[in-house]
Amino acid sequence: MNYLQIFSNASNFVEGVDTAFMVIFGISLFFLIGITGVMLYFVYRYSRKRNPKATQIDGSNTLEVIWTVIPLILVMVMFYYGYKGYAVMREVPEDAMEVKVIAYMWDWDFEYANGKTSKDLYVPVGKAVKLNMMSKDVIHSLYIPAFRVKEDVVPGTDTYMWFIANIEGDYDILCTEYCGLRHSFMDAKAIVMPQQAFDTWLADYNPELDKDPRGLEILKANACIGCHSLDGTKLVGPSFKGLYGTEKAVLVDGKERTLTANDEYIRKAINEPNAEVVVGYPANVMQSYSKVLTPEDMEAIIEYLKTNK
Ligand code: CUA
């Protein structure tokens, strides 16, 4: 992670957002120091020792007008810089390159015009990029701090954002809406490269060769791998890696039993996930998928699990 990136002019929005931030920060700092100073002075000047007899003051129209008009002007100034920085973020240039973003617990998929997908976001330098964002499950939020862009990804509706990356490099992408157990693992990179290198990267794609096996496609489409890793990592549920054919200690009605993870066991684990819970994992976390997956889907999953050693 390169922390200095945050100070670079990494995107076309850095200037506008930073100006709004500094204006608001400056006004806040001025009042923090000013009010604290006046307060300390009053404590000193009007303590009982120096001012034994309190004075009754009955309002002042002049003062009230001043402390209404000045704050009004200040908040209008803040609004002006805020709106100026924001409005341009909603106006996408016509020639923007579009990328589809799919968010789910707990990862990002980026899909380009030719169908190629990636786990990191690849973009050409100096070109407007529009992200069309959708969520498969809960609310996520895509945040690229160095670019000063952030937008919620909301299930049931599509959101978008755009930017022009100015400097080649790798930038952090974070999910900035708490979305469950592995929210903090939901990160990726925005990789900014020269146009030519990007074109080469994009063209290096064969839809047939790069296609996932059917079973894996189903696992991804139903967000199974959010809880069951493919690489042996322990998540909410047991990993799919090397699962098929192994012996598993499971709890059946509170009693421990050992089973072999065969076709029958996997089908039951999908249809009645809480009947045979592997020891060491929480029960009643997973819902039944008996109405979601067809018998053919389940066969495809089992075939895939056999290959994921
Ligand atoms: Cu996705 Cu937090």
Side-chain angles (χ1 to χ4, degrees):
M1 202 179 285
N2 178 358
Y3 293 100
L4 291 177
Q5 280 175 344
I6 205 79
F7 299 111
S8 72
N9 189 30
S11 89
N12 59 320
F13 295 131
V14 170
E15 206 185 306
V17 172
D18 286 5
T19 306
F21 177 82
M22 289 316 288
V23 166
I24 295 170
F25 185 72
I27 292 175
S28 307
L29 195 67
F30 173 80
F31 280 101
L32 173 70
I33 294 169
I35 292 172
T36 310
V38 171
M39 191 181 75
L40 289 174
Y41 172 73
F42 275 33
V43 165
Y44 169 81
R45 174 66 186 78
Y46 295 103
S47 77
R48 201 197 294 193
K49 210 163 54 190
R50 292 178 195 81
N51 192 46
K53 203 166 174 311
T55 326
Q56 175 67 24
I57 300 171
D58 290 315
S60 159
N61 285 339
T62 321
L63 266 180
E64 281 180 29
V65 169
I66 291 174
W67 71 47
T68 305
V69 171
I70 293 180
L72 180 69
I73 294 170
L74 289 176
V75 292
M76 291 314 285
V77 168
M78 293 186 208
F79 175 77
Y80 169 77
Y81 284 104
Y83 187 75
K84 207 174 132 206
Y86 173 75
V88 61
M89 291 181 172
R90 298 286 87 199
E91 282 162 34
V92 186
E94 299 240 311
D95 64 340
M97 177 188 101
E98 304 208 11
V99 179
K100 190 169 163 189
V101 180
I102 301 143
Y104 53 94
M105 294 148 110
W106 287 278
D107 212 349
W108 306 100
D109 283 345
F110 300 99
E111 193 183 318
Y112 305 81
N114 65 353
K116 181 165 183 169
T117 60
S118 63
K119 287 289 168 196
D120 290 315
L121 172 63
Y122 290 80
V123 297
V125 69
K127 173 134 180 81
V129 176
K130 182 187 183 202
L131 304 182
N132 296 310
M133 310 196 288
M134 56 156 300
S135 167
K136 277 188 186 167
D137 35 52
V138 300
I139 301 178
H140 305 272
S141 188
L142 194 145
Y143 182 30
I144 313 178
F147 293 0
R148 310 293 193 271
V149 288
K150 177 163 102 166
E151 188 72 34
D152 279 6
V153 189
V154 183
T157 186
D158 290 353
T159 55
Y160 70 92
M161 70 177 177
W162 78 278
F163 58 81
I164 300 171
N166 287 335
I167 306 167
E168 286 165 35
D170 299 357
Y171 300 88
D172 292 316
I173 295 179
L174 307 168
C175 177
T176 178
E177 183 72 52
Y178 182 69
C179 55
L181 269 185
R182 285 179 65 82
H183 158 70
S184 59
F185 290 81
M186 204 170 155
D187 59 350
K189 293 271 176 219
I191 298 165
V192 181
M193 41 176 41
Q195 181 75 51
Q196 211 171 7
F198 174 79
D199 292 341
T200 312
W201 175 84
L202 189 64
D204 179 20
Y205 166 62
N206 181 332
E208 286 314 307
L209 272 184
D210 293 348
K211 219 167 163 205
D212 286 330
R214 179 80 189 121
L216 179 57
E217 260 182 10
I218 297 165
L219 292 175
K220 284 184 174 173
N222 289 283
C224 308
I225 56 176
C227 295
H228 303 278
S229 78
L230 296 174
D231 62 0
T233 312
K234 185 174 170 173
L235 303 179
V236 181
S239 175
F240 285 147
K241 187 179 171 68
L243 171 75
Y244 192 87
T246 54
E247 307 252 292
K248 289 278 176 202
V250 297
L251 283 178
V252 183
D253 297 327
K255 277 186 227 87
E256 196 170 321
R257 233 201 279 160
T258 304
L259 293 173
T260 304
N262 54 17
D263 293 31
E264 191 195 350
Y265 166 81
I266 291 164
R267 249 178 255 127
K268 190 157 182 189
I270 296 171
N271 288 322
E272 300 169 55
N274 300 305
E276 299 167 341
V277 179
V278 177
V279 173
Y281 291 91
N284 300 318
V285 172
M286 179 173 157
Q287 306 289 319
S288 169
Y289 279 72
S290 60
K291 295 205 173 63
V292 181
L293 300 176
T294 64
E296 293 77 50
D297 289 344
M298 291 188 207
E299 286 319 305
I301 290 174
I302 290 166
E303 285 315 308
Y304 171 71
L305 291 181
K306 286 179 184 168
T307 67
N308 188 26
K309 299 250 176 266

PDB file of all heavy atoms in Angstrom, residues 244 260-273 276 286 288-290 293-303 305-306:
ATOM      1  N   TYR A 244     -14.289 -33.011  -1.330  1.00  0.00           N
ATOM      2  CA  TYR A 244     -14.932 -34.236  -1.821  1.00  0.00           C
ATOM      3  C   TYR A 244     -14.143 -35.483  -1.421  1.00  0.00           C
ATOM      4  O   TYR A 244     -12.934 -35.572  -1.616  1.00  0.00           O
ATOM      5  CB  TYR A 244     -15.103 -34.193  -3.345  1.00  0.00           C
ATOM      6  CG  TYR A 244     -16.015 -35.299  -3.817  1.00  0.00           C
ATOM      7  CD1 TYR A 244     -17.380 -35.112  -3.858  1.00  0.00           C
ATOM      8  CD2 TYR A 244     -15.496 -36.550  -4.148  1.00  0.00           C
ATOM      9  CE1 TYR A 244     -18.229 -36.131  -4.232  1.00  0.00           C
ATOM     10  CE2 TYR A 244     -16.333 -37.584  -4.521  1.00  0.00           C
ATOM     11  CZ  TYR A 244     -17.703 -37.374  -4.565  1.00  0.00           C
ATOM     12  OH  TYR A 244     -18.536 -38.393  -4.920  1.00  0.00           O
ATOM     13  N   THR A 260     -18.555 -39.502   5.187  1.00  0.00           N
ATOM     14  CA  THR A 260     -17.696 -39.221   4.038  1.00  0.00           C
ATOM     15  C   THR A 260     -18.407 -38.184   3.168  1.00  0.00           C
ATOM     16  O   THR A 260     -19.609 -38.303   2.929  1.00  0.00           O
ATOM     17  CB  THR A 260     -17.451 -40.503   3.224  1.00  0.00           C
ATOM     18  OG1 THR A 260     -16.908 -41.479   4.116  1.00  0.00           O
ATOM     19  CG2 THR A 260     -16.477 -40.251   2.085  1.00  0.00           C
ATOM     20  N   ALA A 261     -17.653 -37.176   2.736  1.00  0.00           N
ATOM     21  CA  ALA A 261     -18.245 -36.133   1.895  1.00  0.00           C
ATOM     22  C   ALA A 261     -18.423 -36.662   0.470  1.00  0.00           C
ATOM     23  O   ALA A 261     -17.610 -36.403  -0.413  1.00  0.00           O
ATOM     24  CB  ALA A 261     -17.372 -34.886   1.916  1.00  0.00           C
ATOM     25  N   ASN A 262     -19.487 -37.430   0.284  1.00  0.00           N
ATOM     26  CA  ASN A 262     -19.778 -37.978  -1.055  1.00  0.00           C
ATOM     27  C   ASN A 262     -20.981 -37.237  -1.657  1.00  0.00           C
ATOM     28  O   ASN A 262     -21.451 -36.255  -1.092  1.00  0.00           O
ATOM     29  CB  ASN A 262     -20.049 -39.481  -0.947  1.00  0.00           C
ATOM     30  CG  ASN A 262     -21.158 -39.765   0.071  1.00  0.00           C
ATOM     31  OD1 ASN A 262     -21.909 -38.856   0.437  1.00  0.00           O
ATOM     32  ND2 ASN A 262     -21.250 -40.995   0.526  1.00  0.00           N
ATOM     33  N   ASP A 263     -21.457 -37.725  -2.797  1.00  0.00           N
ATOM     34  CA  ASP A 263     -22.567 -37.063  -3.489  1.00  0.00           C
ATOM     35  C   ASP A 263     -23.759 -36.845  -2.565  1.00  0.00           C
ATOM     36  O   ASP A 263     -24.333 -35.755  -2.498  1.00  0.00           O
ATOM     37  CB  ASP A 263     -23.054 -37.921  -4.682  1.00  0.00           C
ATOM     38  CG  ASP A 263     -22.003 -38.007  -5.764  1.00  0.00           C
ATOM     39  OD1 ASP A 263     -20.803 -37.954  -5.411  1.00  0.00           O
ATOM     40  OD2 ASP A 263     -22.374 -38.129  -6.943  1.00  0.00           O
ATOM     41  N   GLU A 264     -24.089 -37.923  -1.849  1.00  0.00           N
ATOM     42  CA  GLU A 264     -25.280 -37.886  -1.001  1.00  0.00           C
ATOM     43  C   GLU A 264     -25.132 -36.832   0.101  1.00  0.00           C
ATOM     44  O   GLU A 264     -26.046 -36.040   0.355  1.00  0.00           O
ATOM     45  CB  GLU A 264     -25.442 -39.278  -0.382  1.00  0.00           C
ATOM     46  CG  GLU A 264     -26.750 -39.501   0.324  1.00  0.00           C
ATOM     47  CD  GLU A 264     -26.658 -40.745   1.203  1.00  0.00           C
ATOM     48  OE1 GLU A 264     -25.660 -41.494   1.087  1.00  0.00           O
ATOM     49  OE2 GLU A 264     -27.563 -40.942   2.017  1.00  0.00           O
ATOM     50  N   TYR A 265     -23.949 -36.804   0.712  1.00  0.00           N
ATOM     51  CA  TYR A 265     -23.688 -35.839   1.792  1.00  0.00           C
ATOM     52  C   TYR A 265     -23.785 -34.412   1.269  1.00  0.00           C
ATOM     53  O   TYR A 265     -24.382 -33.535   1.902  1.00  0.00           O
ATOM     54  CB  TYR A 265     -22.297 -36.092   2.389  1.00  0.00           C
ATOM     55  CG  TYR A 265     -21.813 -34.956   3.264  1.00  0.00           C
ATOM     56  CD1 TYR A 265     -22.240 -34.834   4.581  1.00  0.00           C
ATOM     57  CD2 TYR A 265     -20.939 -33.998   2.754  1.00  0.00           C
ATOM     58  CE1 TYR A 265     -21.814 -33.790   5.380  1.00  0.00           C
ATOM     59  CE2 TYR A 265     -20.509 -32.946   3.542  1.00  0.00           C
ATOM     60  CZ  TYR A 265     -20.944 -32.838   4.859  1.00  0.00           C
ATOM     61  OH  TYR A 265     -20.526 -31.807   5.632  1.00  0.00           O
ATOM     62  N   ILE A 266     -23.204 -34.152   0.093  1.00  0.00           N
ATOM     63  CA  ILE A 266     -23.201 -32.781  -0.446  1.00  0.00           C
ATOM     64  C   ILE A 266     -24.625 -32.336  -0.786  1.00  0.00           C
ATOM     65  O   ILE A 266     -25.030 -31.207  -0.479  1.00  0.00           O
ATOM     66  CB  ILE A 266     -22.261 -32.687  -1.668  1.00  0.00           C
ATOM     67  CG1 ILE A 266     -20.804 -32.839  -1.191  1.00  0.00           C
ATOM     68  CG2 ILE A 266     -22.443 -31.355  -2.407  1.00  0.00           C
ATOM     69  CD1 ILE A 266     -19.819 -33.136  -2.288  1.00  0.00           C
ATOM     70  N   ARG A 267     -25.383 -33.248  -1.392  1.00  0.00           N
ATOM     71  CA  ARG A 267     -26.770 -32.897  -1.712  1.00  0.00           C
ATOM     72  C   ARG A 267     -27.553 -32.552  -0.441  1.00  0.00           C
ATOM     73  O   ARG A 267     -28.303 -31.586  -0.391  1.00  0.00           O
ATOM     74  CB  ARG A 267     -27.461 -34.065  -2.441  1.00  0.00           C
ATOM     75  CG  ARG A 267     -27.751 -33.739  -3.887  1.00  0.00           C
ATOM     76  CD  ARG A 267     -28.386 -34.895  -4.611  1.00  0.00           C
ATOM     77  NE  ARG A 267     -27.429 -35.539  -5.493  1.00  0.00           N
ATOM     78  CZ  ARG A 267     -27.138 -36.831  -5.511  1.00  0.00           C
ATOM     79  NH1 ARG A 267     -27.743 -37.659  -4.688  1.00  0.00           N
ATOM     80  NH2 ARG A 267     -26.267 -37.303  -6.352  1.00  0.00           N
ATOM     81  N   LYS A 268     -27.326 -33.354   0.607  1.00  0.00           N
ATOM     82  CA  LYS A 268     -28.026 -33.094   1.869  1.00  0.00           C
ATOM     83  C   LYS A 268     -27.568 -31.766   2.480  1.00  0.00           C
ATOM     84  O   LYS A 268     -28.378 -31.008   3.029  1.00  0.00           O
ATOM     85  CB  LYS A 268     -27.788 -34.241   2.856  1.00  0.00           C
ATOM     86  CG  LYS A 268     -28.683 -34.122   4.083  1.00  0.00           C
ATOM     87  CD  LYS A 268     -28.896 -35.452   4.779  1.00  0.00           C
ATOM     88  CE  LYS A 268     -29.846 -35.255   5.972  1.00  0.00           C
ATOM     89  NZ  LYS A 268     -29.939 -36.428   6.821  1.00  0.00           N
ATOM     90  N   ALA A 269     -26.275 -31.469   2.354  1.00  0.00           N
ATOM     91  CA  ALA A 269     -25.737 -30.226   2.921  1.00  0.00           C
ATOM     92  C   ALA A 269     -26.342 -29.003   2.229  1.00  0.00           C
ATOM     93  O   ALA A 269     -26.463 -27.939   2.825  1.00  0.00           O
ATOM     94  CB  ALA A 269     -24.222 -30.204   2.803  1.00  0.00           C
ATOM     95  N   ILE A 270     -26.735 -29.185   0.950  1.00  0.00           N
ATOM     96  CA  ILE A 270     -27.350 -28.072   0.216  1.00  0.00           C
ATOM     97  C   ILE A 270     -28.839 -27.961   0.560  1.00  0.00           C
ATOM     98  O   ILE A 270     -29.366 -26.872   0.773  1.00  0.00           O
ATOM     99  CB  ILE A 270     -27.160 -28.259  -1.310  1.00  0.00           C
ATOM    100  CG1 ILE A 270     -25.667 -28.215  -1.673  1.00  0.00           C
ATOM    101  CG2 ILE A 270     -27.929 -27.197  -2.094  1.00  0.00           C
ATOM    102  CD1 ILE A 270     -25.365 -28.604  -3.108  1.00  0.00           C
ATOM    103  N   ASN A 271     -29.504 -29.111   0.646  1.00  0.00           N
ATOM    104  CA  ASN A 271     -30.945 -29.112   0.875  1.00  0.00           C
ATOM    105  C   ASN A 271     -31.314 -28.889   2.336  1.00  0.00           C
ATOM    106  O   ASN A 271     -32.291 -28.206   2.640  1.00  0.00           O
ATOM    107  CB  ASN A 271     -31.549 -30.444   0.411  1.00  0.00           C
ATOM    108  CG  ASN A 271     -31.559 -30.534  -1.099  1.00  0.00           C
ATOM    109  OD1 ASN A 271     -31.806 -29.554  -1.777  1.00  0.00           O
ATOM    110  ND2 ASN A 271     -31.252 -31.720  -1.627  1.00  0.00           N
ATOM    111  N   GLU A 272     -30.546 -29.524   3.249  1.00  0.00           N
ATOM    112  CA  GLU A 272     -30.816 -29.369   4.690  1.00  0.00           C
ATOM    113  C   GLU A 272     -29.498 -29.021   5.386  1.00  0.00           C
ATOM    114  O   GLU A 272     -28.901 -29.848   6.064  1.00  0.00           O
ATOM    115  CB  GLU A 272     -31.342 -30.673   5.286  1.00  0.00           C
ATOM    116  CG  GLU A 272     -32.619 -31.194   4.682  1.00  0.00           C
ATOM    117  CD  GLU A 272     -32.895 -32.618   5.173  1.00  0.00           C
ATOM    118  OE1 GLU A 272     -32.932 -32.832   6.394  1.00  0.00           O
ATOM    119  OE2 GLU A 272     -33.003 -33.514   4.331  1.00  0.00           O
ATOM    120  N   PRO A 273     -29.068 -27.764   5.218  1.00  0.00           N
ATOM    121  CA  PRO A 273     -27.723 -27.382   5.690  1.00  0.00           C
ATOM    122  C   PRO A 273     -27.518 -27.585   7.182  1.00  0.00           C
ATOM    123  O   PRO A 273     -26.391 -27.713   7.633  1.00  0.00           O
ATOM    124  CB  PRO A 273     -27.624 -25.897   5.351  1.00  0.00           C
ATOM    125  CG  PRO A 273     -28.809 -25.569   4.537  1.00  0.00           C
ATOM    126  CD  PRO A 273     -29.811 -26.649   4.656  1.00  0.00           C
ATOM    127  N   GLU A 276     -26.592 -31.800   9.224  1.00  0.00           N
ATOM    128  CA  GLU A 276     -25.283 -32.396   9.530  1.00  0.00           C
ATOM    129  C   GLU A 276     -24.221 -31.301   9.474  1.00  0.00           C
ATOM    130  O   GLU A 276     -23.583 -31.102   8.448  1.00  0.00           O
ATOM    131  CB  GLU A 276     -24.955 -33.496   8.502  1.00  0.00           C
ATOM    132  CG  GLU A 276     -25.946 -34.630   8.497  1.00  0.00           C
ATOM    133  CD  GLU A 276     -25.784 -35.543   7.284  1.00  0.00           C
ATOM    134  OE1 GLU A 276     -25.172 -35.125   6.281  1.00  0.00           O
ATOM    135  OE2 GLU A 276     -26.272 -36.680   7.351  1.00  0.00           O
ATOM    136  N   MET A 286     -26.716 -21.137   7.474  1.00  0.00           N
ATOM    137  CA  MET A 286     -27.043 -21.264   6.045  1.00  0.00           C
ATOM    138  C   MET A 286     -28.509 -21.641   5.861  1.00  0.00           C
ATOM    139  O   MET A 286     -29.086 -22.373   6.652  1.00  0.00           O
ATOM    140  CB  MET A 286     -26.128 -22.340   5.434  1.00  0.00           C
ATOM    141  CG  MET A 286     -26.346 -22.602   3.972  1.00  0.00           C
ATOM    142  SD  MET A 286     -25.083 -23.741   3.351  1.00  0.00           S
ATOM    143  CE  MET A 286     -25.954 -24.389   1.924  1.00  0.00           C
ATOM    144  N   SER A 288     -31.567 -23.311   3.383  1.00  0.00           N
ATOM    145  CA  SER A 288     -31.670 -24.396   2.401  1.00  0.00           C
ATOM    146  C   SER A 288     -31.690 -23.828   0.983  1.00  0.00           C
ATOM    147  O   SER A 288     -32.300 -22.797   0.721  1.00  0.00           O
ATOM    148  CB  SER A 288     -32.950 -25.189   2.632  1.00  0.00           C
ATOM    149  OG  SER A 288     -33.156 -26.054   1.529  1.00  0.00           O
ATOM    150  N   TYR A 289     -30.991 -24.508   0.066  1.00  0.00           N
ATOM    151  CA  TYR A 289     -30.998 -24.097  -1.336  1.00  0.00           C
ATOM    152  C   TYR A 289     -31.836 -25.046  -2.189  1.00  0.00           C
ATOM    153  O   TYR A 289     -31.715 -25.060  -3.413  1.00  0.00           O
ATOM    154  CB  TYR A 289     -29.554 -24.005  -1.866  1.00  0.00           C
ATOM    155  CG  TYR A 289     -28.903 -22.692  -1.477  1.00  0.00           C
ATOM    156  CD1 TYR A 289     -28.531 -22.447  -0.166  1.00  0.00           C
ATOM    157  CD2 TYR A 289     -28.700 -21.684  -2.425  1.00  0.00           C
ATOM    158  CE1 TYR A 289     -27.965 -21.240   0.202  1.00  0.00           C
ATOM    159  CE2 TYR A 289     -28.131 -20.470  -2.063  1.00  0.00           C
ATOM    160  CZ  TYR A 289     -27.773 -20.254  -0.744  1.00  0.00           C
ATOM    161  OH  TYR A 289     -27.220 -19.051  -0.383  1.00  0.00           O
ATOM    162  N   SER A 290     -32.707 -25.830  -1.531  1.00  0.00           N
ATOM    163  CA  SER A 290     -33.467 -26.837  -2.273  1.00  0.00           C
ATOM    164  C   SER A 290     -34.393 -26.203  -3.307  1.00  0.00           C
ATOM    165  O   SER A 290     -34.697 -26.801  -4.323  1.00  0.00           O
ATOM    166  CB  SER A 290     -34.263 -27.715  -1.303  1.00  0.00           C
ATOM    167  OG  SER A 290     -35.165 -26.901  -0.568  1.00  0.00           O
ATOM    168  N   LEU A 293     -31.611 -24.244  -6.261  1.00  0.00           N
ATOM    169  CA  LEU A 293     -30.793 -25.026  -7.196  1.00  0.00           C
ATOM    170  C   LEU A 293     -31.599 -26.209  -7.733  1.00  0.00           C
ATOM    171  O   LEU A 293     -32.334 -26.858  -6.989  1.00  0.00           O
ATOM    172  CB  LEU A 293     -29.542 -25.542  -6.473  1.00  0.00           C
ATOM    173  CG  LEU A 293     -28.610 -24.477  -5.886  1.00  0.00           C
ATOM    174  CD1 LEU A 293     -27.473 -25.138  -5.131  1.00  0.00           C
ATOM    175  CD2 LEU A 293     -28.070 -23.571  -6.972  1.00  0.00           C
ATOM    176  N   THR A 294     -31.444 -26.478  -9.027  1.00  0.00           N
ATOM    177  CA  THR A 294     -32.093 -27.646  -9.618  1.00  0.00           C
ATOM    178  C   THR A 294     -31.209 -28.875  -9.359  1.00  0.00           C
ATOM    179  O   THR A 294     -30.021 -28.731  -9.045  1.00  0.00           O
ATOM    180  CB  THR A 294     -32.246 -27.465 -11.137  1.00  0.00           C
ATOM    181  OG1 THR A 294     -30.922 -27.399 -11.692  1.00  0.00           O
ATOM    182  CG2 THR A 294     -32.989 -26.174 -11.461  1.00  0.00           C
ATOM    183  N   PRO A 295     -31.763 -30.088  -9.520  1.00  0.00           N
ATOM    184  CA  PRO A 295     -30.924 -31.294  -9.367  1.00  0.00           C
ATOM    185  C   PRO A 295     -29.719 -31.259 -10.313  1.00  0.00           C
ATOM    186  O   PRO A 295     -28.626 -31.696  -9.937  1.00  0.00           O
ATOM    187  CB  PRO A 295     -31.877 -32.428  -9.737  1.00  0.00           C
ATOM    188  CG  PRO A 295     -33.241 -31.889  -9.429  1.00  0.00           C
ATOM    189  CD  PRO A 295     -33.181 -30.411  -9.713  1.00  0.00           C
ATOM    190  N   GLU A 296     -29.906 -30.701 -11.529  1.00  0.00           N
ATOM    191  CA  GLU A 296     -28.770 -30.612 -12.468  1.00  0.00           C
ATOM    192  C   GLU A 296     -27.683 -29.679 -11.928  1.00  0.00           C
ATOM    193  O   GLU A 296     -26.497 -29.958 -12.059  1.00  0.00           O
ATOM    194  CB  GLU A 296     -29.224 -30.098 -13.842  1.00  0.00           C
ATOM    195  CG  GLU A 296     -30.139 -31.025 -14.622  1.00  0.00           C
ATOM    196  CD  GLU A 296     -31.573 -30.992 -14.102  1.00  0.00           C
ATOM    197  OE1 GLU A 296     -32.113 -29.880 -13.948  1.00  0.00           O
ATOM    198  OE2 GLU A 296     -32.133 -32.063 -13.833  1.00  0.00           O
ATOM    199  N   ASP A 297     -28.126 -28.545 -11.326  1.00  0.00           N
ATOM    200  CA  ASP A 297     -27.156 -27.626 -10.707  1.00  0.00           C
ATOM    201  C   ASP A 297     -26.319 -28.375  -9.673  1.00  0.00           C
ATOM    202  O   ASP A 297     -25.101 -28.233  -9.604  1.00  0.00           O
ATOM    203  CB  ASP A 297     -27.877 -26.464  -9.998  1.00  0.00           C
ATOM    204  CG  ASP A 297     -28.507 -25.491 -10.983  1.00  0.00           C
ATOM    205  OD1 ASP A 297     -28.130 -25.538 -12.175  1.00  0.00           O
ATOM    206  OD2 ASP A 297     -29.368 -24.702 -10.560  1.00  0.00           O
ATOM    207  N   MET A 298     -27.017 -29.179  -8.847  1.00  0.00           N
ATOM    208  CA  MET A 298     -26.311 -29.884  -7.769  1.00  0.00           C
ATOM    209  C   MET A 298     -25.317 -30.882  -8.343  1.00  0.00           C
ATOM    210  O   MET A 298     -24.196 -31.022  -7.831  1.00  0.00           O
ATOM    211  CB  MET A 298     -27.313 -30.574  -6.852  1.00  0.00           C
ATOM    212  CG  MET A 298     -28.125 -29.562  -6.055  1.00  0.00           C
ATOM    213  SD  MET A 298     -29.147 -30.309  -4.807  1.00  0.00           S
ATOM    214  CE  MET A 298     -30.443 -29.079  -4.680  1.00  0.00           C
ATOM    215  N   GLU A 299     -25.696 -31.571  -9.426  1.00  0.00           N
ATOM    216  CA  GLU A 299     -24.753 -32.502 -10.065  1.00  0.00           C
ATOM    217  C   GLU A 299     -23.524 -31.751 -10.544  1.00  0.00           C
ATOM    218  O   GLU A 299     -22.385 -32.191 -10.363  1.00  0.00           O
ATOM    219  CB  GLU A 299     -25.417 -33.224 -11.261  1.00  0.00           C
ATOM    220  CG  GLU A 299     -26.420 -34.287 -10.868  1.00  0.00           C
ATOM    221  CD  GLU A 299     -25.970 -35.136  -9.685  1.00  0.00           C
ATOM    222  OE1 GLU A 299     -24.868 -35.721  -9.759  1.00  0.00           O
ATOM    223  OE2 GLU A 299     -26.693 -35.177  -8.671  1.00  0.00           O
ATOM    224  N   ALA A 300     -23.761 -30.578 -11.170  1.00  0.00           N
ATOM    225  CA  ALA A 300     -22.643 -29.786 -11.687  1.00  0.00           C
ATOM    226  C   ALA A 300     -21.717 -29.355 -10.546  1.00  0.00           C
ATOM    227  O   ALA A 300     -20.489 -29.381 -10.671  1.00  0.00           O
ATOM    228  CB  ALA A 300     -23.161 -28.556 -12.442  1.00  0.00           C
ATOM    229  N   ILE A 301     -22.315 -28.973  -9.420  1.00  0.00           N
ATOM    230  CA  ILE A 301     -21.502 -28.565  -8.260  1.00  0.00           C
ATOM    231  C   ILE A 301     -20.664 -29.746  -7.773  1.00  0.00           C
ATOM    232  O   ILE A 301     -19.459 -29.625  -7.517  1.00  0.00           O
ATOM    233  CB  ILE A 301     -22.413 -28.031  -7.124  1.00  0.00           C
ATOM    234  CG1 ILE A 301     -23.009 -26.674  -7.531  1.00  0.00           C
ATOM    235  CG2 ILE A 301     -21.628 -27.895  -5.829  1.00  0.00           C
ATOM    236  CD1 ILE A 301     -24.034 -26.135  -6.552  1.00  0.00           C
ATOM    237  N   ILE A 302     -21.311 -30.923  -7.666  1.00  0.00           N
ATOM    238  CA  ILE A 302     -20.587 -32.113  -7.180  1.00  0.00           C
ATOM    239  C   ILE A 302     -19.435 -32.446  -8.136  1.00  0.00           C
ATOM    240  O   ILE A 302     -18.311 -32.709  -7.696  1.00  0.00           O
ATOM    241  CB  ILE A 302     -21.571 -33.312  -7.029  1.00  0.00           C
ATOM    242  CG1 ILE A 302     -22.514 -33.024  -5.860  1.00  0.00           C
ATOM    243  CG2 ILE A 302     -20.797 -34.606  -6.819  1.00  0.00           C
ATOM    244  CD1 ILE A 302     -23.729 -33.920  -5.794  1.00  0.00           C
ATOM    245  N   GLU A 303     -19.710 -32.365  -9.448  1.00  0.00           N
ATOM    246  CA  GLU A 303     -18.636 -32.645 -10.423  1.00  0.00           C
ATOM    247  C   GLU A 303     -17.484 -31.667 -10.226  1.00  0.00           C
ATOM    248  O   GLU A 303     -16.321 -32.033 -10.273  1.00  0.00           O
ATOM    249  CB  GLU A 303     -19.174 -32.532 -11.863  1.00  0.00           C
ATOM    250  CG  GLU A 303     -20.025 -33.695 -12.314  1.00  0.00           C
ATOM    251  CD  GLU A 303     -19.420 -35.053 -11.948  1.00  0.00           C
ATOM    252  OE1 GLU A 303     -18.232 -35.267 -12.291  1.00  0.00           O
ATOM    253  OE2 GLU A 303     -20.107 -35.872 -11.297  1.00  0.00           O
ATOM    254  N   LEU A 305     -16.707 -30.006  -7.423  1.00  0.00           N
ATOM    255  CA  LEU A 305     -16.014 -30.241  -6.141  1.00  0.00           C
ATOM    256  C   LEU A 305     -15.037 -31.413  -6.247  1.00  0.00           C
ATOM    257  O   LEU A 305     -13.991 -31.395  -5.612  1.00  0.00           O
ATOM    258  CB  LEU A 305     -17.040 -30.492  -5.036  1.00  0.00           C
ATOM    259  CG  LEU A 305     -17.889 -29.274  -4.632  1.00  0.00           C
ATOM    260  CD1 LEU A 305     -18.848 -29.649  -3.510  1.00  0.00           C
ATOM    261  CD2 LEU A 305     -17.013 -28.102  -4.204  1.00  0.00           C
ATOM    262  N   LYS A 306     -15.386 -32.393  -7.084  1.00  0.00           N
ATOM    263  CA  LYS A 306     -14.468 -33.531  -7.278  1.00  0.00           C
ATOM    264  C   LYS A 306     -13.134 -33.065  -7.846  1.00  0.00           C
ATOM    265  O   LYS A 306     -12.096 -33.650  -7.575  1.00  0.00           O
ATOM    266  CB  LYS A 306     -15.099 -34.573  -8.226  1.00  0.00           C
ATOM    267  CG  LYS A 306     -16.197 -35.376  -7.597  1.00  0.00           C
ATOM    268  CD  LYS A 306     -16.781 -36.366  -8.608  1.00  0.00           C
ATOM    269  CE  LYS A 306     -17.962 -37.111  -8.002  1.00  0.00           C
ATOM    270  NZ  LYS A 306     -18.714 -37.852  -9.025  1.00  0.00           N
TER     271      LYS A 306
END
